[in-house]
Amino acid sequence: MYLIFLIFSFIFFLFSFSSSIFFFYLFLSSFRNKTMSTTGCPDYSDFSKAFHEPGSGGSFNLPFQRPTEVCRKFASSVIESVINNVTSKMVNLDLARLFTNSFPNTLDTTISKTACILKETVNSDCQPLSYIITGDINAMWLRDSANQLLPYLNYIKQDGNLKRLFLGAIYMQAHFINIDPYSNAFNEPIDINELAKSTSSSFNKRSVVLLDGVFENKWEIDSLASFMSLSYQYWNQSGDDSFVNNTVWINAVESIIETIKHQQEPTFNETTGQVLDTNYAFSQTTDRPTETQFINGRGQPVRHTGMVKSLFRPSDDATVYPFFIPGNAMLSVELDHLSQLLSKSSANQVSRVQQLASKASILSKEIKEAIYKYGLIEHPTYGKIFAYEVDGYGSSLIMDDANIPSLLSLSLIGFLDQNDQIYQNTRRLVLSHDNPYYFSGPRGSGIGGPHIGLEYAWPMSQIVRILTSSDDKEIEQALDVIVASTDNTGLIHESINVYRQGGGDNNRGYTRSWFSWANGLFGQAILKVMNDRPHLLTSAK
């Protein structure tokens, strides 16, 4: 009996001990799961480089690169419906997977901080704010953030949170412009919720020699044009002009107009020949010439033309000649849009608004006239074309860069019609080896630029090629180049080495696995093709 008692006692002990261990494990698992759901999301810079199942099943078997739902930064059932609807019709499994990964990339990964965006947080005491990083660089570029949102523009009437996300970006950019209209990128506000309650722009000091809140102080005219574009397109789609009555936004517009006027000024007094003062200069010690400017940071001399100087391009590289033609073209378009917005807004009887509308309209016309007077050259092969940059003295630069605005994108940004003869001449040049930054090799082709260097084409240029073409064969060729460019990551990169799978990030043959703007732009292109030429996506070759 005693032996039986000992055996049962031992069995009871083992059961109790095992149960304790089991419940302790459940406790730890529960704690771990709660932690993972809030702080355990992987860094997308690393996540984007790795293969995630399931594969697409296509010839490239592209991975699924969206974060798990709990790790996505912004959710929209409307956008999810768009993805499902479009991909269900696409016959190319790799293209469908690339769209699935890229179209929602901004919402999934780059909505860093928001205030007063979600319906349950909205109240009359705060204005929406959206801080949107560019991807693997933790800062908000005016140009990038505007373009990152635009793929979702057509859906803001169906999703109130998405609509407020747009409005939040407009207000956030307005705050930034009020800090420094010459800067292109900005840091996250220390307290975005407090800023949402403010009617002025106030940031705490940073430990570097920049204005408060500024990440990078490069004068790129397309940054201001992008803010105007986002404001206009949001208003045009939604009918909401509430921001026009907001002091933060109208102050930003006033600052833009004043800055543009300053940057129309020539280098020399046209009567005395004396050098005029400049409102902006950028000079730093660097081993890359594209990271600083000529003549102590003020740039090459220019004559008065009516165009606006830009010391940097949308690639963040320094201009050779300050009159950057694609940037001026975009500025002309968006100043006209701004004038329309102000003139038709509910505040159009306010004197300040009327004056700004008039000034914007005048500037738009001045810039456009100057582009056609000083920005055209006669090429021995292509005939009359647009130069990339000029100085007003007769000097010009023949090239194109992948970043938008570019010469290739002139019809996309609305400066002229896609069938315009001068544009078509220019387009043929920039998509050929007569453009020194057009590269083609066994791994792909496209326009690059000095930002990354020789041999690196940017898939963005192939996307713009799609968005500016009416030719089925050309669009199919561009789609083939793009889908082959991901190096098994299933995402659109900044650039790819067209000759070898080497160099670039981690010697993998590409740069920036997490570049949200390019991904969203690809989503736009697929939606446009599905709308205009669905047979290219829904029918087998």
Side-chain angles (χ1 to χ4, degrees):
M1 289 292 294
Y2 181 70
L3 180 61
I4 294 173
F5 172 75
L6 287 176
I7 291 172
F8 273 99
S9 296
F10 182 68
I11 291 172
F12 179 76
F13 169 77
L14 288 177
F15 176 78
S16 300
F17 181 75
S18 300
S19 298
S20 299
I21 294 295
F22 176 71
F23 285 112
F24 182 65
Y25 172 76
L26 286 181
F27 169 76
L28 287 178
S29 297
S30 174
F31 180 78
R32 182 187 63 187
N33 289 338
K34 288 177 182 177
T35 303
M36 285 293 288
S37 68
T38 55
T39 62
C41 295
D43 184 336
Y44 196 75
S45 294
D46 299 323
F47 186 92
S48 60
K49 296 182 178 75
F51 188 99
H52 302 281
E53 296 286 357
S56 64
S59 58
F60 292 101
N61 195 35
L62 296 182
F64 182 77
Q65 299 296 70
R66 298 188 67 185
T68 58
E69 288 188 24
V70 72
C71 290
R72 295 173 190 172
K73 301 290 188 179
F74 188 94
S76 169
S77 59
V78 173
I79 297 304
E80 295 301 324
S81 296
V82 172
I83 295 169
N84 293 332
N85 181 50
V86 171
T87 55
S88 68
K89 301 173 184 175
M90 297 175 70
V91 295
N92 185 312
L93 298 178
D94 290 317
L95 271 180
R97 175 55 55 81
L98 190 53
F99 177 77
T100 297
N101 292 338
S102 62
F103 180 57
N105 189 256
T106 288
L107 301 182
D108 282 354
T109 69
T110 68
I111 310 302
S112 180
K113 282 284 180 67
T114 62
C116 303
I117 296 296
L118 301 182
K119 186 176 181 180
E120 57 269 24
T121 66
V122 175
N123 62 68
S124 58
D125 296 329
C126 68
Q127 61 188 16
L129 290 176
S130 308
Y131 185 81
I132 303 166
I133 63 173
T134 186
D136 55 3
I137 304 174
N138 192 30
M140 181 169 171
W141 264 254
L142 297 180
R143 168 188 56 255
D144 287 45
S145 58
N147 283 289
Q148 284 168 247
L149 285 181
L150 288 178
Y152 317 117
L153 181 69
N154 290 337
Y155 311 105
I156 59 176
K157 287 183 178 180
Q158 304 169 47
D159 186 332
N161 288 343
L162 189 62
K163 179 183 175 185
R164 284 186 289 274
L165 187 71
F166 270 73
L167 190 57
I170 291 169
Y171 279 128
M172 189 79 265
Q173 290 192 358
H175 276 290
F176 289 150
I177 291 167
N178 287 332
I179 294 168
D180 184 5
Y182 287 101
S183 291
N184 58 320
F186 297 82
N187 287 298
E188 181 182 307
I190 292 174
D191 190 339
I192 195 169
N193 291 300
E194 192 62 31
L195 185 63
K197 301 173 185 177
S198 173
T199 57
S200 62
S201 299
S202 177
F203 287 72
N204 291 333
K205 272 284 184 187
R206 295 179 67 249
S207 59
V208 297
V209 186
L210 292 169
L211 291 175
D212 300 356
V214 173
F215 177 83
E216 189 172 58
N217 176 229
K218 288 181 175 177
W219 167 231
E220 302 166 357
I221 55 177
D222 59 283
S223 293
L224 300 184
S226 295
F227 166 73
M228 291 187 284
S229 175
L230 183 63
S231 298
Y232 171 81
Q233 293 196 61
Y234 168 81
W235 164 73
N236 194 46
Q237 180 68 25
S238 69
D240 175 19
D241 66 1
S242 58
F243 54 88
V244 177
N245 293 292
N246 187 283
T247 303
V248 172
W249 187 85
I250 204 71
N251 283 351
V253 169
E254 196 164 63
S255 180
I256 288 171
I257 298 298
E258 291 175 0
T259 303
I260 288 171
K261 283 182 168 293
H262 282 306
Q263 292 307 311
Q264 285 182 309
E265 294 174 357
T267 304
F268 306 103
N269 182 299
E270 294 182 343
T271 302
T272 67
Q274 289 182 304
V275 177
L276 298 173
D277 291 335
T278 180
N279 282 53
Y280 174 85
F282 187 103
S283 180
Q284 63 179 347
T285 301
T286 175
D287 60 357
R288 295 184 63 183
T290 55
E291 290 298 312
T292 189
Q293 258 296 352
F294 296 93
I295 314 177
N296 299 318
R298 68 177 297 151
Q300 296 272 35
V302 296
R303 300 185 72 171
H304 182 271
T305 63
M307 281 187 284
V308 181
K309 291 174 286 188
S310 186
L311 295 198
F312 289 88
R313 301 168 181 166
S315 62
D316 299 331
D317 296 320
T319 52
V320 175
Y321 301 117
F323 292 139
F324 170 53
I325 298 298
N328 272 274
M330 184 178 183
L331 206 54
S332 175
V333 170
E334 299 309 335
L335 283 165
D336 180 59
H337 284 162
L338 175 65
S339 180
Q340 293 179 43
L341 164 58
L342 293 171
S343 299
K344 296 177 182 178
S345 74
S346 57
N348 64 4
Q349 297 304 309
V350 177
S351 176
R352 185 185 184 192
V353 172
Q354 291 175 343
Q355 290 174 13
L356 288 171
S358 176
K359 290 177 181 178
S361 179
I362 292 169
L363 284 170
S364 173
K365 293 181 175 68
E366 282 181 8
I367 294 167
K368 186 170 186 176
E369 289 172 4
I371 289 172
Y372 279 97
K373 183 175 181 180
Y374 295 96
L376 296 177
I377 59 174
E378 193 70 33
H379 191 278
T381 303
Y382 298 93
K384 190 170 288 188
I385 63 168
F386 289 99
Y388 189 67
E389 293 167 2
V390 299
D391 62 2
Y393 285 100
S395 300
S396 60
L397 183 63
I398 298 176
M399 62 164 280
D400 201 16
D401 188 286
N403 284 266
I404 304 171
S406 60
L407 293 176
L408 182 61
S409 71
L410 286 179
S411 65
L412 177 63
I413 63 176
F415 182 68
L416 39 65
D417 186 81
Q418 184 175 301
N419 297 314
D420 180 272
Q421 188 58 57
I422 300 174
Y423 170 70
Q424 285 298 323
N425 294 346
T426 307
R427 191 177 189 277
R428 285 188 291 113
L429 183 149
V430 302
L431 289 172
S432 77
H433 288 290
D434 287 318
N435 172 11
Y437 290 103
Y438 179 84
F439 309 117
S440 62
R443 280 171 38 85
S445 62
I447 300 169
H451 190 70
I452 300 301
L454 306 179
E455 299 186 352
Y456 284 84
W458 291 47
M460 179 181 285
S461 66
Q462 292 287 355
I463 300 171
V464 175
R465 186 181 171 205
I466 292 170
L467 291 167
T468 58
S469 178
S470 301
D471 181 82
D472 282 6
K473 185 177 180 180
E474 181 180 30
I475 293 170
E476 286 182 323
Q477 288 174 345
L479 287 171
D480 288 344
V481 171
I482 293 166
V483 78
S485 75
T486 80
D487 277 322
N488 300 316
T489 65
L491 292 164
I492 306 295
H493 300 313
E494 176 188 55
S495 71
I496 62 163
N497 189 311
V498 301
Y499 291 104
R500 60 191 177 91
Q501 192 168 0
D505 296 352
N506 305 118
N507 203 35
R508 297 177 72 162
Y510 64 78
T511 60
R512 298 189 68 184
S513 60
W514 182 18
F515 183 33
S516 187
W517 175 16
N519 282 280
L521 191 67
F522 175 74
Q524 279 182 267
I526 290 295
L527 291 175
K528 184 176 188 297
V529 174
M530 185 62 82
N531 184 67
D532 297 348
R533 290 177 163 73
H535 59 280
L536 296 181
L537 299 175
T538 60
S539 301
K541 289 186 179 179

